[in-house]
């Protein structure tokens, strides 16, 4: 998995999306964010740089397991829907 600003000369989509979220929620960057359908958590990781708490959730347990493996900070939490 690649998490840099670019990959194969393409801009990182999750970085672009997190920037769009920050623009919309400019006055709320000290709060919480819920990412429904977080997949492997790439957007969660980006948002965690700017918000106090980010919760990522996904229906696919296998994908959440991947997110857990690449989990790097205490600002993120992943759950598996029962």
């Amino acid at each position: 998995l690649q998490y840099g600003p670019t990959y194969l000369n393409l801009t990182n989509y999750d970085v672009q999306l997190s920037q769009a979220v920050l623009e919309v929620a400019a006055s709320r960057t000290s709060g919480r964010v819920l990412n429904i359908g977080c997949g492997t958590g790439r957007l969660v990781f980006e948002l965690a740089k700017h918000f106090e708490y980010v919760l990522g959730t996904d229906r696919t347990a296998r994908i959440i397991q991947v997110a857990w493996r690449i989990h790097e900070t205490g600002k993120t939490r992943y759950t598996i829907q029962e």
Side-chain angles (χ1 to χ4, degrees), residues 4-81:
T6 61
Y7 183 67
L8 298 175
N9 295 321
L10 299 172
T11 302
N12 184 321
Y13 174 75
D14 296 294
V15 170
Q16 284 184 320
L17 186 55
S18 69
Q19 290 170 350
V21 170
L22 289 171
E23 288 175 17
V24 172
S27 65
R28 300 182 201 151
T29 56
S30 62
R32 296 176 175 209
V33 175
L34 171 62
N35 181 198
I36 299 171
C38 69
T40 60
R42 292 181 64 174
L43 180 58
V44 171
F45 294 146
E46 292 300 323
L47 293 173
K49 296 174 185 177
H50 305 281
F51 292 88
E52 289 178 13
Y53 182 84
V54 180
L55 172 63
T57 182
D58 199 284
R59 292 185 63 188
T60 308
R62 178 186 268 169
I63 295 299
I64 292 294
Q65 291 170 349
V66 171
W68 268 108
R69 285 196 297 267
I70 57 179
H71 173 66
E72 295 177 344
T73 70
K75 294 183 178 181
T76 55
R77 181 177 141 208
Y78 298 90
T79 61
I80 299 171
Q81 182 178 353

